[in-house]
Amino acid sequence: GENEIRVSVAMVTYNGAAYLREQIDSILSQLGEEDELIISDDGSEDGTLSILQEYQKVNEKIRLLQGPGQGIKKNVEHALSGTRGRYIFLADQDDIWLPGKVERILQVFQEQTVSVAVHDARVFQGDDSTQILMDSFFAFRGSCAGVIKNMVKNTYIGCCMAFRRELLEAVVPIP
């Protein structure tokens, strides 16, 4: 049944061909047998779709959805509503996942009763993933825990987030 799927990665694309292969490879390399990658494409016109279709042909973990064409927020909702896993990870189209990310986040979920896990990111320059612009997004934004602090200045970004399935009802539709 549905519970067999462990991790769902919800990814949205729109004209993101530049980093797509590197990104999908970095995600797929971390997914197990019981995981899935849901990609909602919002009408790309730059070759993104043909790259996605090519990957989908050779990898049964990938489910490709046609986005609603109403902007990024609606497309993220669409991708999220296509997920079936116990743990849901968000991915932007220009992320490259560092090795061990999924494993480390799952470890946090298993050790603690948290609903959401947030992690740091390195920010790289333009088309060169070796050129690190910022070694820590958290340090740059002054991230720390605390509801009040994050209502004042939200220092977390969606692509650095994973949450348990139960939280999905609170997340969609996105306010």
Side-chain angles (χ1 to χ4, degrees), residues 6-51:
R6 184 186 62 161
V7 168
S8 292
V9 179
M11 175 176 156
V12 294
T13 54
Y14 179 71
N15 293 345
Y19 306 101
L20 212 48
R21 288 178 195 281
E22 206 174 341
Q23 184 195 5
I24 293 175
D25 290 342
S26 78
I27 294 174
L28 286 176
S29 67
Q30 300 190 42
L31 296 185
E33 296 287 299
E34 65 281 54
D35 301 333
E36 64 177 5
L37 171 56
I38 307 297
I39 305 172
S40 182
D41 182 77
D42 224 12
S44 295
E45 295 159 4
D46 70 338
T48 292
L49 206 54
S50 56
I51 294 173

Side-chain angles (χ1 to χ4, degrees), residues 32-77:
E33 296 287 299
E34 65 281 54
D35 301 333
E36 64 177 5
L37 171 56
I38 307 297
I39 305 172
S40 182
D41 182 77
D42 224 12
S44 295
E45 295 159 4
D46 70 338
T48 292
L49 206 54
S50 56
I51 294 173
L52 294 176
Q53 286 162 343
E54 173 193 321
Y55 269 90
Q56 190 186 28
K57 277 193 193 99
V58 296
N59 200 303
E60 69 288 351
K61 287 189 188 88
I62 297 177
R63 293 221 328 276
L64 195 47
L65 310 176
Q66 190 180 344
Q70 298 167 354
I72 182 109
K73 215 184 265 189
K74 288 286 175 209
N75 198 22
V76 171
E77 278 179 14

Side-chain angles (χ1 to χ4, degrees), residues 86-89 104-118 161-164:
R86 281 203 302 276
Y87 302 103
I88 297 161
F89 286 68
R104 181 71 194 96
I105 299 275
L106 288 176
Q107 199 181 334
V108 170
F109 280 128
Q110 272 135 34
E111 289 165 3
Q112 303 172 32
T113 55
V114 292
S115 299
V116 183
V118 179
M161 215 172 267
F163 51 90
R164 293 180 194 266

